[in-house]
Amino acid sequence: MTLPVLELVDLGKVYRGRKGGVQAVKDVSISVGAGEVYGFLGPNGAGKSTTIRMLLGLISPSAGEIHLFGEPLRNNPAVLRRVGSLVDGGAFYPFLSGRKNLEVLARTHGAGADRIDALLEQVGLSDSAKRRVKGYSTGMRQRLGVAAALLGDPDLVILDEPVNGLDAAGIQEMRLLIRSLAADHGKTVFLSSHLLHEVQQVCDRIAIISRGEVIREATIRDLLAADEGLRLQAAPLELARSVIEERWAVEPDGDTILVRATQDEAPEVVRRLVGAGIDIFGLTPERRNLEEVFLSITQEEAADA
Amino acid sequence: MLEAFAAETLKFRRHRATWFLVWIYPIGFLLLSVLLICVGLIQARPETAAPAASKWIESTAAIWYVPPHMFGRYLIAAFAAFVFAGEYGWNTWKLVVPHRSRSALIAAKFAMTFLFLYGAFLLTGLLTLLMGWIGDVVLGSPIPEGITAAALAKAQYLGAVAALAPVLVTIAYTSLAAVLTRSTIAALVIGLVAVTAEQAFLGLAPILSIYAPRLVWGLYQLLPGYHFDNLSSWLGQGSASQTRLPELEPIAWSWPASLALVGAWVVGVAGLTFVSFKRQDIN
Ligand SMILES: Nc1ncnc2c1ncn2[C@@H]1O[C@H](COP(=O)(O)OP(=O)(O)OP(=O)(O)O)[C@@H](O)[C@H]1O
Ligand SMILES: [Mg+2]
């Protein structure tokens, strides 16, 4: 693998308050390769935004290291100039127009002024560019936020909840945009979300974070494959279960059982059941979507606590 | 740094706070002087002799009385509160912080606040000169002899230099309050209280020194207020501003010593602003 674009090593953050500290992020270690679309998934309060704020140098980590493009962020905050970001749905100067906001940002950045018109066009804000941001809808702010994130032609784009507040069409557009950033422009994208089914379609790899800790990291494919199964309806059910259990794990579920076998193994399952004289009423492959996987993982976590 | 300054300028040049707290000086003055000329035209005037050239010249630099005055400093504090605390209220630090060093962003704010204010005062000074001349011509008042460009420039220069210390100290106070409280209103209130306390102390010192003579005597010299007066006295009269607190040795500092002390205040307080902002978590 080439040098990771983003690498977090045992990253941690404790928010100090009057009543002791809140451990918002703990021992997060992940690495994101060039051209990858990486999803950072977790329920509310999991620590996604905290991690992203540390990546952007907005808050300082309590523990651990952040490496961007192979350089430690601590010693070299200037690497952030190669990073574009959208946090909190795009906060802008309310008294300036969308265009002026991008101009302010281009000046701050020292680059990108010549890209403003093209970006406004790209995010569909050309017609409202001269209006004050104060009057923008949530979706418009989010689009302006995307334009702002891309202004400096960054190599790494960090998006905190990019589809928050967008309508169905907006979500679809955002998804296409993110894919095209990676596929057509070779950018690396790191995004956070709690809307898993959306992320399922854009990310190559994800980390699931819960209560500050990464509890699973995998490619989408592996994550789903690990949770494949066959749903069996048969009689007598108890007998079927004992036959199956000789070879596969099973989960009884009402008047069916879930067999932890892949679809390739279905004929073998059938042969064994038929051999034992069991009547089969149905055997359907079941592929849980990421949402279910995610829910079960985070619920396990919660149950363990 | 220059880029951050350019960005800051773009943000604030047409902000409402800038109109009401900075651009108001030249605009307000222009309107007022036009009004006065109109009134002068309507009213019958007695024939008057030309005023002394020195008086006429001095009047063109009258705007420079505003920034060292308590009320002028209130307006400066208010503007600085908007500039330094605004980003917290709009939630926009997270937009710019990743792209520039934090020091450059704060330095740009100091530079912009100072240059906008001084630009407005200087413009008002030039307008005073222009409108004074136009007024005299339109109203047919005699213009005194012996007014030279050098004398006019010197008047502006002296006013501008004398205002430096109070303007910088006021901006520094408010910037620190803004970064620490993260609130425009709080920064404004603290800025106003600091300016008021500092100026009130000068006036009340003779009374207060009855109760704690040594303490008041020490504070009097430690706080920047006396040194503003002292520096402007050195500039204007070429001598120290003398203060006597009852039963204590008189206070009269040399100008380099006063300058160093005021400099220490500005560098110290502004330095704290930089350090606090550098270490701050932005949520
Ligand atoms: N400034 C702060 N001070 C104290 N605690 C904080 C602060 N910001 C966040 N937290 C706490 O840290 C934890 C993680 O918050 P964070 O905002 O990172 O979560 P998140 O994953 O982004 O959640 P969401 O999906 O709701 O945006 C939460 O328990 C939150 O209450
Ligand atoms: Mg969040």
Side-chain angles (χ1 to χ4, degrees), chain A residues 13 15 53 56-60 80-81 83 87-88 91-95 100 103-105 107-110, chain B residues 3-4 6-7 10-11 13 15 87 90-100 102 105 280-283:
Chain A
K13 176 68 184 181
Y15 286 111
R53 287 188 196 120
L56 294 173
L58 297 174
I59 63 180
S60 54
L80 283 172
R81 298 171 62 73
V83 177
V87 287
D88 284 351
F92 290 98
Y93 301 100
F95 50 91
K100 277 274 184 302
E103 280 175 33
V104 165
L105 210 58
R107 285 193 186 181
T108 307
H109 202 290
Chain B
E3 283 112 338
L10 189 57
K11 253 179 251 175
R13 65 181 185 203
H15 190 270
E87 311 267 355
W90 307 315
N91 233 338
T92 40
W93 273 131
K94 59 186 65 150
L95 195 62
V96 292
V97 159
H99 298 298
R100 272 290 148 201
R102 294 191 182 203
L105 291 170
Q280 189 164 68
D281 278 357
I282 292 164
N283 288 298

Side-chain angles (χ1 to χ4, degrees), chain B residues 31-282:
Chain B
L31 294 178
L32 192 71
S33 50
V34 168
L35 187 76
L36 287 179
I37 291 175
C38 293
V39 170
L41 278 176
I42 296 162
Q43 280 178 343
R45 309 169 301 281
E47 285 290 316
T48 48
S54 64
K55 276 267 175 287
W56 201 93
I57 291 169
E58 205 185 298
S59 71
T60 63
I63 184 64
W64 294 106
Y65 289 117
V66 173
H69 190 272
M70 184 154 74
F71 187 69
R73 293 179 69 193
Y74 284 170
L75 297 186
I76 293 168
F79 182 55
F82 273 101
V83 173
F84 285 90
E87 311 267 355
Y88 296 99
W90 307 315
N91 233 338
T92 40
W93 273 131
K94 59 186 65 150
L95 195 62
V96 292
V97 159
H99 298 298
R100 272 290 148 201
S101 80
R102 294 191 182 203
S103 311
L105 291 170
I106 288 289
K109 286 197 181 291
F110 275 110
M112 186 277 288
T113 310
F114 177 76
L115 290 176
F116 271 29
L117 284 165
Y118 259 59
F121 293 137
L122 204 61
L123 187 62
T124 311
L126 294 178
L127 283 173
T128 318
L129 178 58
L130 185 71
M131 294 313 286
W133 177 73
I134 290 177
D136 284 355
V137 171
V138 169
L139 300 176
S141 313
I143 297 173
E145 298 284 316
I147 294 172
T148 63
L152 288 169
K154 189 171 177 220
Q156 295 293 335
Y157 166 79
L158 287 178
V161 172
L164 262 179
V167 168
L168 290 177
V169 167
T170 309
I171 296 174
Y173 283 164
T174 318
S175 73
L176 183 59
V179 167
L180 293 181
T181 64
R182 309 184 184 206
S183 145
T184 309
I185 299 289
L188 175 62
V189 170
I190 294 175
L192 299 193
V193 168
V195 167
T196 311
E198 185 199 77
Q199 302 247 10
F201 180 75
L202 284 192
L204 294 177
I207 300 168
L208 293 174
S209 72
I210 298 168
Y211 305 102
R214 276 287 151 196
L215 177 69
V216 170
W217 185 80
L219 273 181
Y220 197 91
Q221 298 173 82
L222 184 66
L223 293 177
Y226 161 74
H227 301 279
F228 300 159
D229 292 348
N230 189 36
L231 286 172
S232 91
S233 165
W234 275 108
L235 270 172
Q237 285 93 54
S239 61
S241 156
Q242 287 259 3
T243 302
R244 265 178 194 287
L245 294 177
E247 325 228 329
L248 288 164
E249 47 276 46
I251 296 167
W253 283 46
S254 71
W255 69 262
S258 271
L259 194 64
L261 195 117
V262 169
W265 270 98
V266 173
V267 171
V269 179
L272 278 179
T273 306
F274 276 93
V275 173
S276 316
F277 184 61
K278 252 192 129 63
R279 303 166 55 131
Q280 189 164 68
D281 278 357
I282 292 164

Side-chain angles (χ1 to χ4, degrees), chain A residues 44-45 47-50 53 88 160-161 192 194:
Chain A
N44 292 133
K48 305 181 294 292
S49 301
T50 301
R53 287 188 196 120
D88 284 351
D160 192 7
E161 310 265 5
S192 81
H194 56 263

Side-chain angles (χ1 to χ4, degrees), chain A residues 97-141:
Chain A
S97 69
R99 193 173 204 298
K100 277 274 184 302
N101 264 287
L102 292 185
E103 280 175 33
V104 165
L105 210 58
R107 285 193 186 181
T108 307
H109 202 290
D114 49 337
R115 293 160 47 87
I116 291 177
D117 287 318
L119 280 168
L120 283 169
E121 181 78 44
Q122 193 184 342
V123 298
L125 280 179
S126 295
D127 294 338
S128 339
K130 290 202 169 133
R131 278 172 46 200
R132 286 181 184 204
V133 168
K134 198 187 288 188
Y136 277 21
S137 68
T138 314
M140 290 164 79
R141 279 168 207 249

